[in-house]
mmCIF file of all heavy atoms in Angstrom:
data_model
loop_
_atom_site.group_PDB
_atom_site.id
_atom_site.type_symbol
_atom_site.label_atom_id
_atom_site.label_comp_id
_atom_site.label_asym_id
_atom_site.label_seq_id
_atom_site.Cartn_x
_atom_site.Cartn_y
_atom_site.Cartn_z
ATOM 1 N N ASP A 1 0.806 -1.226 0.000
ATOM 2 C CA ASP A 1 0.000 0.000 0.000
ATOM 3 C C ASP A 1 0.836 1.272 0.000
ATOM 4 O O ASP A 1 0.284 2.381 0.020
ATOM 5 C CB ASP A 1 -0.931 0.006 1.220
ATOM 6 C CG ASP A 1 -1.971 -1.107 1.154
ATOM 7 O OD1 ASP A 1 -2.365 -1.476 0.030
ATOM 8 O OD2 ASP A 1 -2.373 -1.610 2.224
ATOM 9 N N LEU A 2 2.150 1.146 -0.006
ATOM 10 C CA LEU A 2 2.985 2.344 -0.114
ATOM 11 C C LEU A 2 2.849 2.954 -1.510
ATOM 12 O O LEU A 2 2.642 2.239 -2.496
ATOM 13 C CB LEU A 2 4.458 2.005 0.146
ATOM 14 C CG LEU A 2 4.875 1.663 1.577
ATOM 15 C CD1 LEU A 2 6.388 1.472 1.632
ATOM 16 C CD2 LEU A 2 4.446 2.746 2.557
ATOM 17 N N ASP A 3 2.994 4.264 -1.589
ATOM 18 C CA ASP A 3 2.962 4.941 -2.887
ATOM 19 C C ASP A 3 4.303 4.788 -3.587
ATOM 20 O O ASP A 3 5.367 4.801 -2.941
ATOM 21 C CB ASP A 3 2.660 6.429 -2.707
ATOM 22 C CG ASP A 3 1.251 6.678 -2.190
ATOM 23 O OD1 ASP A 3 0.353 5.885 -2.530
ATOM 24 O OD2 ASP A 3 1.055 7.655 -1.443
ATOM 25 N N GLU A 4 4.265 4.662 -4.888
ATOM 26 C CA GLU A 4 5.500 4.697 -5.665
ATOM 27 C C GLU A 4 6.002 6.131 -5.709
ATOM 28 O O GLU A 4 5.229 7.054 -5.973
ATOM 29 C CB GLU A 4 5.255 4.180 -7.080
ATOM 30 C CG GLU A 4 6.523 4.099 -7.918
ATOM 31 C CD GLU A 4 6.293 3.400 -9.252
ATOM 32 O OE1 GLU A 4 5.170 2.900 -9.478
ATOM 33 O OE2 GLU A 4 7.249 3.346 -10.050
ATOM 34 N N PRO A 5 7.269 6.371 -5.427
ATOM 35 C CA PRO A 5 7.776 7.747 -5.447
ATOM 36 C C PRO A 5 7.639 8.367 -6.822
ATOM 37 O O PRO A 5 7.890 7.706 -7.836
ATOM 38 C CB PRO A 5 9.246 7.597 -5.038
ATOM 39 C CG PRO A 5 9.584 6.162 -5.264
ATOM 40 C CD PRO A 5 8.318 5.392 -5.075
ATOM 41 N N ASP A 6 7.228 9.627 -6.866
ATOM 42 C CA ASP A 6 7.033 10.275 -8.160
ATOM 43 C C ASP A 6 8.352 10.813 -8.699
ATOM 44 O O ASP A 6 9.398 10.777 -8.028
ATOM 45 C CB ASP A 6 5.980 11.384 -8.069
ATOM 46 C CG ASP A 6 6.346 12.483 -7.068
ATOM 47 O OD1 ASP A 6 7.555 12.681 -6.799
ATOM 48 O OD2 ASP A 6 5.427 13.144 -6.563
ATOM 49 N N ALA A 7 8.312 11.325 -9.914
ATOM 50 C CA ALA A 7 9.531 11.782 -10.598
ATOM 51 C C ALA A 7 10.200 12.927 -9.850
ATOM 52 O O ALA A 7 11.430 13.022 -9.800
ATOM 53 C CB ALA A 7 9.196 12.195 -12.024
ATOM 54 N N THR A 8 9.389 13.813 -9.250
ATOM 55 C CA THR A 8 9.958 14.952 -8.525
ATOM 56 C C THR A 8 10.769 14.476 -7.327
ATOM 57 O O THR A 8 11.882 14.955 -7.082
ATOM 58 C CB THR A 8 8.833 15.897 -8.061
ATOM 59 O OG1 THR A 8 8.124 16.375 -9.202
ATOM 60 C CG2 THR A 8 9.413 17.078 -7.296
ATOM 61 N N MET A 9 10.208 13.525 -6.564
ATOM 62 C CA MET A 9 10.932 12.988 -5.411
ATOM 63 C C MET A 9 12.227 12.317 -5.856
ATOM 64 O O MET A 9 13.288 12.534 -5.239
ATOM 65 C CB MET A 9 10.064 11.989 -4.645
ATOM 66 C CG MET A 9 10.803 11.294 -3.503
ATOM 67 S SD MET A 9 9.828 10.034 -2.637
ATOM 68 C CE MET A 9 8.756 11.090 -1.663
ATOM 69 N N MET A 10 12.171 11.513 -6.926
ATOM 70 C CA MET A 10 13.360 10.805 -7.376
ATOM 71 C C MET A 10 14.437 11.770 -7.862
ATOM 72 O O MET A 10 15.624 11.595 -7.575
ATOM 73 C CB MET A 10 12.994 9.807 -8.470
ATOM 74 C CG MET A 10 12.111 8.658 -8.003
ATOM 75 S SD MET A 10 12.829 7.688 -6.650
ATOM 76 C CE MET A 10 14.344 7.104 -7.408
ATOM 77 N N THR A 11 14.026 12.810 -8.582
ATOM 78 C CA THR A 11 14.999 13.796 -9.067
ATOM 79 C C THR A 11 15.673 14.496 -7.907
ATOM 80 O O THR A 11 16.902 14.683 -7.884
ATOM 81 C CB THR A 11 14.316 14.819 -9.987
ATOM 82 O OG1 THR A 11 13.785 14.152 -11.128
ATOM 83 C CG2 THR A 11 15.311 15.884 -10.447
ATOM 84 N N ASP A 12 14.879 14.906 -6.920
ATOM 85 C CA ASP A 12 15.436 15.603 -5.758
ATOM 86 C C ASP A 12 16.429 14.722 -5.011
ATOM 87 O O ASP A 12 17.520 15.175 -4.629
ATOM 88 C CB ASP A 12 14.295 16.028 -4.832
ATOM 89 C CG ASP A 12 14.807 16.701 -3.562
ATOM 90 O OD1 ASP A 12 15.423 17.779 -3.677
ATOM 91 O OD2 ASP A 12 14.605 16.140 -2.461
ATOM 92 N N ILE A 13 16.062 13.459 -4.809
ATOM 93 C CA ILE A 13 16.945 12.544 -4.081
ATOM 94 C C ILE A 13 18.243 12.324 -4.857
ATOM 95 O O ILE A 13 19.342 12.329 -4.282
ATOM 96 C CB ILE A 13 16.223 11.208 -3.818
ATOM 97 C CG1 ILE A 13 15.146 11.394 -2.754
ATOM 98 C CG2 ILE A 13 17.213 10.123 -3.401
ATOM 99 C CD1 ILE A 13 14.273 10.177 -2.512
ATOM 100 N N ARG A 14 18.149 12.144 -6.153
ATOM 101 C CA ARG A 14 19.360 11.914 -6.954
ATOM 102 C C ARG A 14 20.278 13.128 -6.949
ATOM 103 O O ARG A 14 21.515 12.981 -6.914
ATOM 104 C CB ARG A 14 18.972 11.539 -8.382
ATOM 105 C CG ARG A 14 18.427 10.112 -8.500
ATOM 106 C CD ARG A 14 17.899 9.819 -9.868
ATOM 107 N NE ARG A 14 17.430 8.433 -9.971
ATOM 108 C CZ ARG A 14 16.354 8.059 -10.633
ATOM 109 N NH1 ARG A 14 15.618 8.962 -11.287
ATOM 110 N NH2 ARG A 14 16.001 6.789 -10.669
ATOM 111 N N VAL A 15 19.708 14.310 -6.983
ATOM 112 C CA VAL A 15 20.533 15.531 -6.926
ATOM 113 C C VAL A 15 21.276 15.591 -5.599
ATOM 114 O O VAL A 15 22.488 15.876 -5.556
ATOM 115 C CB VAL A 15 19.660 16.780 -7.133
ATOM 116 C CG1 VAL A 15 20.456 18.043 -6.797
ATOM 117 C CG2 VAL A 15 19.159 16.853 -8.567
ATOM 118 N N ARG A 16 20.574 15.330 -4.526
ATOM 119 C CA ARG A 16 21.206 15.377 -3.199
ATOM 120 C C ARG A 16 22.268 14.289 -3.055
ATOM 121 O O ARG A 16 23.352 14.519 -2.511
ATOM 122 C CB ARG A 16 20.146 15.243 -2.118
ATOM 123 C CG ARG A 16 19.191 16.437 -2.051
ATOM 124 C CD ARG A 16 17.952 16.120 -1.234
ATOM 125 N NE ARG A 16 18.277 15.797 0.146
ATOM 126 C CZ ARG A 16 17.437 15.235 1.009
ATOM 127 N NH1 ARG A 16 16.226 14.881 0.580
ATOM 128 N NH2 ARG A 16 17.809 14.991 2.243
ATOM 129 N N CYS A 17 21.973 13.109 -3.561
ATOM 130 C CA CYS A 17 22.941 12.005 -3.454
ATOM 131 C C CYS A 17 24.140 12.217 -4.368
ATOM 132 O O CYS A 17 25.251 11.750 -4.074
ATOM 133 C CB CYS A 17 22.261 10.682 -3.796
ATOM 134 S SG CYS A 17 21.030 10.137 -2.589
ATOM 135 N N GLY A 18 23.921 12.917 -5.471
ATOM 136 C CA GLY A 18 24.994 13.169 -6.423
ATOM 137 C C GLY A 18 26.125 14.003 -5.862
ATOM 138 O O GLY A 18 27.209 14.066 -6.450
ATOM 139 N N GLU A 19 25.896 14.650 -4.740
ATOM 140 C CA GLU A 19 26.966 15.420 -4.094
ATOM 141 C C GLU A 19 28.029 14.501 -3.508
ATOM 142 O O GLU A 19 29.148 14.941 -3.246
ATOM 143 C CB GLU A 19 26.380 16.293 -2.984
ATOM 144 C CG GLU A 19 25.370 17.332 -3.464
ATOM 145 C CD GLU A 19 24.761 18.100 -2.301
ATOM 146 O OE1 GLU A 19 25.277 17.950 -1.174
ATOM 147 O OE2 GLU A 19 23.784 18.834 -2.525
ATOM 148 N N PHE A 20 27.677 13.231 -3.309
ATOM 149 C CA PHE A 20 28.586 12.318 -2.614
ATOM 150 C C PHE A 20 29.129 11.206 -3.500
ATOM 151 O O PHE A 20 30.253 10.735 -3.288
ATOM 152 C CB PHE A 20 27.859 11.692 -1.417
ATOM 153 C CG PHE A 20 27.213 12.683 -0.517
ATOM 154 C CD1 PHE A 20 25.833 12.787 -0.464
ATOM 155 C CD2 PHE A 20 27.978 13.534 0.263
ATOM 156 C CE1 PHE A 20 25.216 13.706 0.366
ATOM 157 C CE2 PHE A 20 27.378 14.464 1.099
ATOM 158 C CZ PHE A 20 25.985 14.560 1.146
ATOM 159 N N VAL A 21 28.349 10.752 -4.483
ATOM 160 C CA VAL A 21 28.779 9.634 -5.328
ATOM 161 C C VAL A 21 28.056 9.747 -6.668
ATOM 162 O O VAL A 21 26.900 10.192 -6.721
ATOM 163 C CB VAL A 21 28.470 8.281 -4.632
ATOM 164 C CG1 VAL A 21 26.985 8.102 -4.403
ATOM 165 C CG2 VAL A 21 29.039 7.111 -5.399
ATOM 166 N N PRO A 22 28.721 9.433 -7.786
ATOM 167 C CA PRO A 22 28.067 9.523 -9.102
ATOM 168 C C PRO A 22 26.773 8.711 -9.146
ATOM 169 O O PRO A 22 26.716 7.573 -8.667
ATOM 170 C CB PRO A 22 29.123 8.949 -10.059
ATOM 171 C CG PRO A 22 30.424 9.182 -9.363
ATOM 172 C CD PRO A 22 30.141 9.014 -7.906
ATOM 173 N N GLN A 23 25.749 9.306 -9.741
ATOM 174 C CA GLN A 23 24.439 8.668 -9.808
ATOM 175 C C GLN A 23 24.234 7.969 -11.149
ATOM 176 O O GLN A 23 24.647 8.466 -12.191
ATOM 177 C CB GLN A 23 23.340 9.708 -9.604
ATOM 178 C CG GLN A 23 23.341 10.327 -8.224
ATOM 179 C CD GLN A 23 23.001 9.312 -7.150
ATOM 180 O OE1 GLN A 23 21.890 8.785 -7.093
ATOM 181 N NE2 GLN A 23 23.964 9.037 -6.277
ATOM 182 N N MET A 24 23.574 6.821 -11.087
ATOM 183 C CA MET A 24 23.198 6.098 -12.295
ATOM 184 C C MET A 24 21.693 6.268 -12.496
ATOM 185 O O MET A 24 20.904 6.016 -11.588
ATOM 186 C CB MET A 24 23.543 4.617 -12.148
ATOM 187 C CG MET A 24 23.237 3.794 -13.369
ATOM 188 S SD MET A 24 23.853 2.113 -13.164
ATOM 189 C CE MET A 24 25.615 2.405 -13.176
ATOM 190 N N GLU A 25 21.302 6.706 -13.677
ATOM 191 C CA GLU A 25 19.893 7.050 -13.893
ATOM 192 C C GLU A 25 19.241 6.267 -15.026
ATOM 193 O O GLU A 25 18.083 6.537 -15.354
ATOM 194 C CB GLU A 25 19.768 8.557 -14.163
ATOM 195 C CG GLU A 25 20.286 9.424 -13.024
ATOM 196 C CD GLU A 25 20.046 10.900 -13.238
ATOM 197 O OE1 GLU A 25 19.127 11.231 -14.022
ATOM 198 O OE2 GLU A 25 20.766 11.729 -12.649
ATOM 199 N N HIS A 26 19.937 5.308 -15.622
ATOM 200 C CA HIS A 26 19.348 4.595 -16.753
ATOM 201 C C HIS A 26 18.968 3.145 -16.402
ATOM 202 O O HIS A 26 18.728 2.334 -17.285
ATOM 203 C CB HIS A 26 20.292 4.608 -17.955
ATOM 204 C CG HIS A 26 21.542 3.789 -17.783
ATOM 205 N ND1 HIS A 26 22.584 4.175 -16.984
ATOM 206 C CD2 HIS A 26 21.914 2.592 -18.314
ATOM 207 C CE1 HIS A 26 23.549 3.279 -17.032
ATOM 208 N NE2 HIS A 26 23.159 2.292 -17.825
ATOM 209 N N CYS A 27 18.873 2.827 -15.104
ATOM 210 C CA CYS A 27 18.523 1.477 -14.680
ATOM 211 C C CYS A 27 17.123 1.095 -15.176
ATOM 212 O O CYS A 27 16.199 1.914 -15.147
ATOM 213 C CB CYS A 27 18.567 1.379 -13.159
ATOM 214 S SG CYS A 27 18.020 -0.207 -12.500
ATOM 215 N N GLN A 28 16.973 -0.149 -15.628
ATOM 216 C CA GLN A 28 15.701 -0.631 -16.168
ATOM 217 C C GLN A 28 15.023 -1.665 -15.260
ATOM 218 O O GLN A 28 14.072 -2.304 -15.658
ATOM 219 C CB GLN A 28 15.928 -1.254 -17.555
ATOM 220 C CG GLN A 28 16.484 -0.281 -18.576
ATOM 221 C CD GLN A 28 15.522 0.852 -18.865
ATOM 222 O OE1 GLN A 28 14.355 0.628 -19.159
ATOM 223 N NE2 GLN A 28 16.004 2.091 -18.766
ATOM 224 N N ARG A 29 15.516 -1.836 -14.036
ATOM 225 C CA ARG A 29 14.935 -2.798 -13.091
ATOM 226 C C ARG A 29 14.738 -4.167 -13.759
ATOM 227 O O ARG A 29 13.645 -4.701 -13.865
ATOM 228 C CB ARG A 29 13.603 -2.285 -12.529
ATOM 229 C CG ARG A 29 13.746 -0.991 -11.768
ATOM 230 C CD ARG A 29 12.526 -0.668 -10.926
ATOM 231 N NE ARG A 29 11.356 -0.322 -11.703
ATOM 232 C CZ ARG A 29 10.322 0.370 -11.218
ATOM 233 N NH1 ARG A 29 10.343 0.787 -9.958
ATOM 234 N NH2 ARG A 29 9.272 0.639 -11.959
ATOM 235 N N CYS A 30 15.843 -4.738 -14.210
ATOM 236 C CA CYS A 30 15.794 -5.927 -15.064
ATOM 237 C C CYS A 30 15.374 -7.181 -14.293
ATOM 238 O O CYS A 30 15.657 -7.338 -13.104
ATOM 239 C CB CYS A 30 17.160 -6.182 -15.685
ATOM 240 S SG CYS A 30 17.724 -4.854 -16.753
ATOM 241 N N ARG A 31 14.744 -8.087 -15.037
ATOM 242 C CA ARG A 31 14.385 -9.407 -14.522
ATOM 243 C C ARG A 31 15.637 -10.254 -14.285
ATOM 244 O O ARG A 31 16.707 -9.955 -14.819
ATOM 245 C CB ARG A 31 13.500 -10.137 -15.537
ATOM 246 C CG ARG A 31 12.152 -9.511 -15.787
ATOM 247 C CD ARG A 31 11.536 -10.089 -17.048
ATOM 248 N NE ARG A 31 11.490 -11.542 -17.031
ATOM 249 C CZ ARG A 31 10.459 -12.264 -16.612
ATOM 250 N NH1 ARG A 31 9.368 -11.655 -16.179
ATOM 251 N NH2 ARG A 31 10.489 -13.574 -16.628
ATOM 252 N N ALA A 32 15.459 -11.316 -13.511
ATOM 253 C CA ALA A 32 16.580 -12.217 -13.239
ATOM 254 C C ALA A 32 16.921 -13.097 -14.431
ATOM 255 O O ALA A 32 17.938 -13.801 -14.406
ATOM 256 C CB ALA A 32 16.270 -13.094 -12.027
ATOM 257 N N ASP A 33 16.095 -13.070 -15.495
ATOM 258 C CA ASP A 33 16.399 -13.843 -16.704
ATOM 259 C C ASP A 33 16.463 -12.949 -17.943
ATOM 260 O O ASP A 33 16.267 -13.415 -19.069
ATOM 261 C CB ASP A 33 15.379 -14.969 -16.907
ATOM 262 C CG ASP A 33 13.942 -14.449 -17.044
ATOM 263 O OD1 ASP A 33 13.741 -13.212 -17.028
ATOM 264 O OD2 ASP A 33 13.020 -15.271 -17.174
ATOM 265 N N ALA A 34 16.740 -11.662 -17.736
ATOM 266 C CA ALA A 34 16.774 -10.716 -18.856
ATOM 267 C C ALA A 34 17.944 -11.023 -19.790
ATOM 268 O O ALA A 34 19.013 -11.456 -19.364
ATOM 269 C CB ALA A 34 16.903 -9.287 -18.333
ATOM 270 N N ALA A 35 17.729 -10.788 -21.086
ATOM 271 C CA ALA A 35 18.786 -11.012 -22.085
ATOM 272 C C ALA A 35 18.615 -10.021 -23.218
ATOM 273 O O ALA A 35 17.491 -9.695 -23.621
ATOM 274 C CB ALA A 35 18.735 -12.435 -22.624
ATOM 275 N N GLY A 36 19.735 -9.535 -23.750
ATOM 276 C CA GLY A 36 19.701 -8.601 -24.866
ATOM 277 C C GLY A 36 19.938 -7.176 -24.416
ATOM 278 O O GLY A 36 20.632 -6.913 -23.432
ATOM 279 N N MET A 37 19.348 -6.237 -25.130
ATOM 280 C CA MET A 37 19.514 -4.816 -24.834
ATOM 281 C C MET A 37 18.699 -4.418 -23.609
ATOM 282 O O MET A 37 17.618 -4.965 -23.352
ATOM 283 C CB MET A 37 19.049 -3.980 -26.024
ATOM 284 C CG MET A 37 19.884 -4.168 -27.281
ATOM 285 S SD MET A 37 21.360 -3.136 -27.330
ATOM 286 C CE MET A 37 20.646 -1.553 -27.790
ATOM 287 N N LEU A 38 19.190 -3.437 -22.851
ATOM 288 C CA LEU A 38 18.429 -2.915 -21.727
ATOM 289 C C LEU A 38 17.129 -2.303 -22.210
ATOM 290 O O LEU A 38 17.079 -1.662 -23.262
ATOM 291 C CB LEU A 38 19.232 -1.835 -20.998
ATOM 292 C CG LEU A 38 20.044 -2.286 -19.778
ATOM 293 C CD1 LEU A 38 21.154 -3.225 -20.185
ATOM 294 C CD2 LEU A 38 20.588 -1.080 -19.037
ATOM 295 N N GLY A 39 16.070 -2.531 -21.453
ATOM 296 C CA GLY A 39 14.795 -1.920 -21.774
ATOM 297 C C GLY A 39 13.959 -2.681 -22.769
ATOM 298 O O GLY A 39 12.829 -2.292 -23.049
#
């Protein structure tokens, strides 16, 4: 029942975290049997 974080929340968090370590933003939340190109 938790809400999925919206784009604004994710952008804000990534900006704040980016001050400490490079951020990766192209993750596709892949399956455990994914094959081929991302996405």
